[in-house]
Amino acid sequence: MITYKYSALSPDGDKVNGVVNAIDEYTAVEKIRADCPIVLKIEPVKKGGIYDILGADIGGKKVDAKALSVMCSQFAVIIGSGISIEGCLNMVSAQTEDKKLKKMLSMSAEDVSQGTSLATAFEKNYPQLPPLFIETVRAGEMSGTLDASFNNLYEYYKRSNLVSQKTKSAMAYPMFVLAVAAVVLVIIMVKVMPTFTSMFKDFGAELPTITVVLIAITNWFQKGWMLIAGIAAVLFIAFKLWTHNEKGRLQWSKLTLKMPTMGKINKLNASQQFSTSMASLIGSGLTVAQALKVTSKCIDNYAIAKEVSSMSEKIETGAALSDVIKSSEFLPDVLKEMTGVGERTGELVKTLQTVGAYYTQETEYATQKMIARLEPTMLVFIAIIAGFIVLAIYLPMFTMYNYM
């Protein structure tokens, strides 16, 4: 839950200042307008301090997409069978293994029994739930299609979890190889090389250049490891500070879109997030403007998220989605054209679902292709380092044997 401070005008025209807790800015404005029809200014309360920056994502309560997907499928089936919301919550709670979701469902059942709406109960008892989940449930309640909304959420989170698992699986081997190589290199530098260095010094003969270089690197590493760690820490903190403010975060997100290979993957991923989120939200009954606001919270890349958020403002002035999406700097032309076709034919949800499936496949293919290129590159790099160390150690040993 985010805390916002605001200035607004009451029905009597008096200026009112205050704070409100909400899952996002859109929800905060809705809460303020319940008492004050005109909102003059709203902004999140800043939580300064370097510890907030370093610990922002550490120890958080991130929702497990797989558990959320299973929960949504259970809701869709049980609600469709005609059981009450309270009974549904108790049944799903009994079947859910995820402790956080189980606790949230039990507490939500109590709130719903006292007259609280399902979306409000979820938002209250588990603030870390994604905005897309909360708003889709809220739209389903308002339109009377809660079972369809949960079914849309099930499909969305099942697909998201599948993409995430495939990416993690593809990256597991390269990351393991890098980790092992780093550990072995540190052991060689700290434990093995000092022994050979003292032996070479006792030998007294002139050492090959490659061995001298390795000894110099080893000595520097042993004496300067604290300096290396300090520089790494400073760079990490500087990066976190830079990306924590609006300007730096925007610059970094734009930079990630221009990176070789990774830039393409980031654009494809944002395209599938946009398509699948919009399809789920519009299919659940949200207006296009509302769907765009929520979708902007679901896109990982901040630059594209800002673009999508600005689109909702243009839609509210009466512009068509097909027109405002054309102004996007980063979304691909295929997505823009297909969105226009879907809007003109009245099949926007179905078109976005098709486009979302296409970009999901493209994201997976691009990621696998990158991993396929990365693995041999890493092996060649590791082989060069290993070859350098082996030559640096064995060349002077051959010289020693000649003198014996």
Side-chain angles (χ1 to χ4, degrees):
M1 195 76 73
I2 305 172
T3 302
Y4 293 90
K5 58 182 180 179
Y6 67 89
S7 296
L9 293 179
S10 68
D12 298 329
D14 298 326
K15 188 174 182 179
V16 178
N17 296 319
V19 294
V20 62
N21 292 319
I23 195 167
D24 56 28
E25 189 172 316
Y26 171 73
T27 310
V29 171
E30 291 296 315
K31 289 183 177 180
I32 297 167
R33 283 179 176 166
D35 299 316
C36 302
I38 300 176
V39 180
L40 301 174
K41 183 180 180 183
I42 182 170
E43 59 184 12
V45 176
K46 295 181 179 179
K47 298 180 180 180
I50 195 169
Y51 298 107
D52 286 342
I53 297 171
L54 292 176
D57 296 322
I58 299 174
K61 300 180 180 179
K62 189 174 180 181
V63 184
D64 182 0
K66 183 178 180 181
L68 202 58
S69 171
V70 173
M71 186 190 77
C72 290
S73 69
Q74 292 172 332
F75 266 108
V77 173
I78 297 172
I79 291 176
S81 64
I83 297 175
S84 67
I85 300 298
E86 183 184 352
C88 181
L89 285 165
N90 288 322
M91 289 180 66
V92 176
S93 175
Q95 298 174 39
T96 301
E97 296 181 0
D98 188 283
K99 293 180 180 179
K100 296 171 187 174
L101 290 178
K102 193 179 190 72
K103 181 180 178 182
M104 181 269 289
L105 290 168
S106 299
M107 295 173 67
S108 297
E110 295 179 12
D111 291 338
V112 168
S113 67
Q114 297 172 8
T116 304
S117 70
L118 184 59
T120 303
F122 283 160
E123 187 178 4
K124 172 189 171 185
N125 296 311
Y126 203 163
Q128 290 78 20
L129 284 169
L132 181 139
F133 179 87
I134 297 294
E135 296 304 325
T136 302
V137 172
R138 182 173 285 120
E141 284 185 290
M142 294 173 64
S143 62
T145 57
L146 202 51
D147 55 339
S149 295
F150 273 114
N151 191 58
N152 289 338
L153 286 170
Y154 162 66
E155 293 294 337
Y156 175 82
Y157 287 113
K158 181 181 74 171
R159 192 157 44 248
S160 297
N161 181 64
L162 186 63
V163 173
S164 176
Q165 291 300 319
K166 284 186 177 181
T167 303
K168 289 178 182 178
S169 177
M171 289 297 295
Y173 176 71
M175 295 307 296
F176 174 75
V177 171
L178 273 180
V180 171
V183 170
V184 170
L185 187 60
V186 169
I187 292 173
I188 290 174
M189 289 293 186
V190 175
K191 295 293 184 181
V192 178
M193 280 308 299
T195 303
F196 281 99
T197 300
S198 60
M199 183 177 69
F200 292 153
K201 285 182 179 179
D202 295 338
F203 176 57
E206 184 178 352
L207 297 174
T209 303
I210 190 173
T211 306
V212 174
V213 171
L214 183 60
I215 291 173
I217 292 173
T218 303
N219 293 335
W220 180 81
F221 185 82
Q222 287 179 318
K223 294 176 183 178
W225 69 269
M226 291 187 67
L227 178 63
I228 296 171
I231 292 173
V234 169
L235 290 174
F236 175 75
I237 294 171
F239 176 77
K240 296 291 280 186
L241 288 169
W242 177 51
T243 55
H244 193 67
N245 65 66
E246 173 76 14
K247 185 178 179 181
R249 188 181 178 189
L250 186 60
Q251 289 175 337
W252 170 247
S253 61
K254 286 183 177 180
L255 184 62
T256 60
L257 294 173
K258 296 177 181 178
M259 291 179 178
T261 307
M262 278 306 301
K264 180 183 177 181
I265 293 175
N266 287 331
K267 287 181 181 179
L268 290 171
N269 185 53
S271 298
Q272 72 90 7
Q273 288 175 336
F274 175 88
S275 304
T276 53
S277 299
M278 287 290 289
S280 178
L281 291 164
I282 296 173
S284 298
L286 267 69
T287 65
V288 174
Q290 291 172 331
L292 284 167
K293 286 180 180 178
V294 178
T295 298
S296 68
K297 309 288 184 183
C298 305
I299 296 175
D300 295 334
N301 187 275
Y302 185 62
I304 297 179
K306 275 185 71 71
E307 273 194 344
V308 173
S309 180
S310 67
M311 290 178 195
S312 66
E313 299 173 4
K314 296 176 183 177
I315 293 290
E316 289 175 344
T317 63
L321 178 60
S322 56
D323 293 330
V324 298
I325 199 173
K326 288 180 180 177
S327 62
S328 173
E329 181 183 353
F330 305 110
L331 292 176
D333 292 336
V334 172
L335 175 57
K336 297 176 185 178
E337 293 299 327
M338 290 301 292
T339 301
V341 170
E343 189 175 37
R344 288 191 296 271
T345 58
E347 297 287 345
L348 184 57
V349 172
K350 189 177 290 185
T351 302
L352 287 171
Q353 288 173 341
T354 303
V355 174
Y358 166 75
Y359 280 114
T360 298
Q361 292 179 345
E362 287 297 303
T363 303
E364 293 175 11
Y365 174 73
T367 303
Q368 291 172 356
K369 190 175 179 181
M370 180 193 71
I371 300 300
R373 291 177 178 177
L374 182 63
E375 288 179 2
T377 303
M378 287 171 48
L379 291 175
V380 169
F381 178 72
I382 293 171
I384 290 172
I385 294 176
F388 174 80
I389 293 173
V390 169
L391 285 173
I393 292 174
Y394 276 95
L395 281 177
M397 291 180 68
F398 292 144
T399 305
M400 290 170 59
Y401 290 142
N402 291 334
Y403 278 89
M404 294 175 70

